[in-house]
Amino acid sequence: MADNADNKETIQSLNQLLQGEYMAVESFNIFISKVEDENVKKTFQEIQKQHRKNIDTLASYIQNIGGRPQENLGMKGMIADKKVSMDLGIKTDTAEIIKKAVEGETQGVNMAEKVLRGTLDSKSRDIAGEILHKDRSSIDKLNSLLK
């Protein structure tokens, strides 16, 4: 089963999604350290916890289908991480930080949608769809903080 070309493509797609989840956790580390509003901080932590659950789900599933989860940020992730830090700079304006978080979550949703359009078996599609759903709900939570 692991030699199957579709499976290899599936593992590659799921690893892409996994990388996005790791980037999200890292970004939220930065957001949490910058924000002072306790309510916002708590929401950020809840969203970060959800991303950690997504990582767990994806990593286990990748292993179960014979793949190896790529469990480091990689070069793209490190660059994105630095970009988030630089974009925020020394700003601690809560609204700005929330907007950055929304931006990051939106990129994650776009990536998950792209993965879903690729070649996936139905179980992988379900997992990616579930993550997409959770990420969209995180965007709603973040947007409600801006009101």
Side-chain angles (χ1 to χ4, degrees), residues 32 35-45 94 97-98 142 145:
I32 290 164
V35 78
E36 284 161 20
D37 180 305
E38 282 307 312
N39 183 40
V40 173
K41 191 174 282 199
K42 203 156 71 192
T43 303
F44 281 3
Q45 287 167 331
T94 303
I97 296 169
I98 295 168
L142 290 168
L145 292 173

Side-chain angles (χ1 to χ4, degrees), residues 117-128:
R117 285 193 294 270
T119 310
L120 294 176
D121 58 87
S122 64
K123 177 82 172 124
S124 300
R125 191 169 297 286
D126 288 348
I127 289 173

Side-chain angles (χ1 to χ4, degrees), residues 73-135:
L73 260 183
M75 191 50 96
K76 213 163 55 175
M78 287 189 282
I79 292 169
D81 197 30
K82 294 274 180 274
K83 186 180 178 325
V84 169
S85 284
M86 284 178 4
D87 284 355
L88 287 175
I90 54 171
K91 283 185 229 147
T92 50
D93 175 42
T94 303
E96 276 303 303
I97 296 169
I98 295 168
K99 285 176 189 159
K100 277 286 164 210
V102 169
E103 205 176 285
E105 287 294 297
T106 304
Q107 286 175 330
V109 163
N110 293 340
M111 193 160 95
E113 286 172 342
K114 199 170 119 190
V115 167
L116 271 168
R117 285 193 294 270
T119 310
L120 294 176
D121 58 87
S122 64
K123 177 82 172 124
S124 300
R125 191 169 297 286
D126 288 348
I127 289 173
E130 187 58 35
I131 287 172
L132 180 61
H133 174 72
K134 288 172 180 164
D135 287 352

Side-chain angles (χ1 to χ4, degrees), residues 24-41:
V25 168
E26 283 304 311
S27 295
F28 275 95
N29 277 337
I30 296 166
F31 300 146
I32 290 164
S33 73
K34 298 257 183 202
V35 78
E36 284 161 20
D37 180 305
E38 282 307 312
N39 183 40
V40 173
K41 191 174 282 199

